[in-house]
């Protein structure tokens, strides 16, 4: 059976000290609390080592927000998947819409990143999602299918089975405007169907598909209750322990 996951994406927020304090607060808050999901904290690169040390690995998986598309060498300022893995991190967010839009990450670049992440034992949380104009033109299904096919469908079934997908409509990120639970369910079911057509029902049924975009304690329960929504990728609401805990405990 697929896992429920709630992952916080801290983006470019928190100093090292603030980040460690937040991780410790979440770690404390989880003590004695039974959860129906795996919990992931995806932090800036430089926080990884300290956050891995600060949390109980049995309760919290640590992840990064990006990694390089090259193995190693003369790529000043880049951080490789092997470096990320060497910190004890287990996950890496790839293809976030902010990386695609601001840092020009193409489907081809993301394909290479996914391969390197998997080769280093990291679980990619692969983000897809349409911009507002695409949604309004009813192109969101085509956009999302293309993002998945172009970067992931050259993987073997064995490797694809290690991927977590996050559907994040760009118009809902940081805007306070969430997709409705029905909109999320509709496109999550479509994503699962797209996976089933390529890799078969068993792999599709076992793939965790997370929703992201202005998810908060007040709307997480309704969204997570949908059959094809397996948790969330959380931005703003992951930066406070109480709101992040409110989302973690939102599963029925
Ligand atoms: P918000 O939750 O702040 O809308 O961000 C969502 C997101 O981009 C998570 O990756």
């Amino acid at each position: 059976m697929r896992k429920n996951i709630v992952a916080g994406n801290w983006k470019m927020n928190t100093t090292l000290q603030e980040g460690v304090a937040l991780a410790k607060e979440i770690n404390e808050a989880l003590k004695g609390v039974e959860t129906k999901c795996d919990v992931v904290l995806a932090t800036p690169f430089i926080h990884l080592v300290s956050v891995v040390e600060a949390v109980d690995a049995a309760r919290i998986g640590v992840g990064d927000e990006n990694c390089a598309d090259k193995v190693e060498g003369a790529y000043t300022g880049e951080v490789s998947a092997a470096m990320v893995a060497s910190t004890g991190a287990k996950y890496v967010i790839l293809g976030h819409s902010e990386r695609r839009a601001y840092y020009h990450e193409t489907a081809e670049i993301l394909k290479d990143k996914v391969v390197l992440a998997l080769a280093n034992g990291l679980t990619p949380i692969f983000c897809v999602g349409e911009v507002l104009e695409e949604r309004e033109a009813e192109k969101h299904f085509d956009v999302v299918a293309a993002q998945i096919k172009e970067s992931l469908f050259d993987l073997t079934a064995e490797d694809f089975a290690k991927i977590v997908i996050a559907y994040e409509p760009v118009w809902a990120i940081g805007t306070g405007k969430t997709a409705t639970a029905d909109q999320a369910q509709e496109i999550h079911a479509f994503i699962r169907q797209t996976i089933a057509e390529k890799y078969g029902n068993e792999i599709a049924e076992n793939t965790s598909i997370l929703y992201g975009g202005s998810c908060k304690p007040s709307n997480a329960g309704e969204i997570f209750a949908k059959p094809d929504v397996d948790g969330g990728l959380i931005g703003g609401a992951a930066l406070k322990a109480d709101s992040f805990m409110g989302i973690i405990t939102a599963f029925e």
Side-chain angles (χ1 to χ4, degrees), residues 3 8-9 25 71-72 81 89 112 122 130 159 165 177 194 199 220:
K3 284 186 206 162
N9 173 11
E25 213 184 323
V71 176
E72 65 179 351
D112 292 342
L122 297 169
E130 79 286 355
D159 274 344
I165 304 279
K177 193 176 167 196
T194 303
Y199 291 106

Side-chain angles (χ1 to χ4, degrees), residues 9 11 96 98 168 172-174 212-215 233-236:
N9 173 11
K11 308 193 178 183
H96 193 281
E98 290 150 17
E168 300 202 303
I173 295 177
S214 298
C215 195
L233 182 57
I234 318 300

Side-chain angles (χ1 to χ4, degrees), residues 1-3 205-206:
M1 255 316 271
R2 60 184 180 256
K3 284 186 206 162
E205 284 303 319
N206 284 327

Side-chain angles (χ1 to χ4, degrees), residues 71 140 174 182 214 230 235:
V71 176
H140 46 295
D182 287 339
S214 298
D230 310 309

Side-chain angles (χ1 to χ4, degrees), residues 30 74 93 114 141 151 178 186 191 229 240-241 252:
L30 277 169
I93 297 174
V114 168
F141 295 111
S151 296
T178 4
E186 182 185 40
I191 291 169
V229 180
K240 292 268 181 295
E252 294 296 307

Side-chain angles (χ1 to χ4, degrees), residues 95-151:
H96 193 281
S97 60
E98 290 150 17
R99 301 286 325 165
R100 292 178 191 261
Y102 307 148
Y103 303 98
H104 315 294
E105 293 193 359
T106 62
E108 278 301 308
I109 291 173
L110 293 171
K111 199 168 151 175
D112 292 342
K113 292 189 179 199
V114 168
V115 167
L116 288 169
L118 289 170
N120 285 283
L122 297 169
T123 298
I125 300 177
F126 188 81
C127 303
V128 296
E130 79 286 355
V131 299
L132 185 61
E133 302 81 73
E134 292 163 340
R135 165 71 59 169
E136 284 173 348
E138 291 181 19
K139 289 191 181 140
H140 46 295
F141 295 111
D142 291 346
V143 168
V144 164
Q147 288 169 332
I148 292 175
K149 287 178 186 170
E150 287 168 10
S151 296

Side-chain angles (χ1 to χ4, degrees), residues 11-200:
K11 308 193 178 183
M12 197 173 75
N13 292 297
T14 73
T15 63
L16 176 60
Q17 291 74 19
E18 289 163 352
V20 170
L22 175 59
K24 284 183 176 165
E25 213 184 323
I26 293 164
N27 193 58
E28 277 305 307
L30 277 169
K31 282 187 182 153
V33 175
E34 251 188 67
T35 56
K36 294 184 179 155
C37 62
D38 287 3
V39 176
V40 176
L41 301 180
T43 81
F45 290 122
I46 61 152
H47 297 26
L48 290 175
V49 172
S50 310
V51 170
V52 166
E53 278 172 11
V55 301
D56 176 359
R59 302 299 308 274
I60 296 178
V62 178
D64 193 37
E65 304 170 15
N66 180 29
C67 70
D69 60 336
K70 303 287 193 300
V71 176
E72 65 179 351
Y75 303 102
T76 302
E78 288 294 292
V79 175
S80 71
M83 293 174 189
V84 172
S86 73
T87 67
K90 302 285 181 224
Y91 296 83
V92 58
I93 297 174
L94 292 175
H96 193 281
S97 60
E98 290 150 17
R99 301 286 325 165
R100 292 178 191 261
Y102 307 148
Y103 303 98
H104 315 294
E105 293 193 359
T106 62
E108 278 301 308
I109 291 173
L110 293 171
K111 199 168 151 175
D112 292 342
K113 292 189 179 199
V114 168
V115 167
L116 288 169
L118 289 170
N120 285 283
L122 297 169
T123 298
I125 300 177
F126 188 81
C127 303
V128 296
E130 79 286 355
V131 299
L132 185 61
E133 302 81 73
E134 292 163 340
R135 165 71 59 169
E136 284 173 348
E138 291 181 19
K139 289 191 181 140
H140 46 295
F141 295 111
D142 291 346
V143 168
V144 164
Q147 288 169 332
I148 292 175
K149 287 178 186 170
E150 287 168 10
S151 296
L152 300 178
F153 275 10
D154 283 345
L155 294 174
T156 62
E158 191 190 342
D159 274 344
F160 187 88
K162 298 170 188 158
I163 304 277
V164 173
I165 304 279
Y167 168 68
E168 300 202 303
V170 179
W171 46 271
I173 295 177
T175 57
K177 193 176 167 196
T178 4
T180 64
D182 287 339
Q183 282 174 323
Q185 168 56 26
E186 182 185 40
I187 196 147
H188 281 228
F190 169 79
I191 291 169
R192 201 175 303 286
Q193 182 57 34
T194 303
I195 296 168
E197 283 162 17
K198 169 77 180 171
Y199 291 106

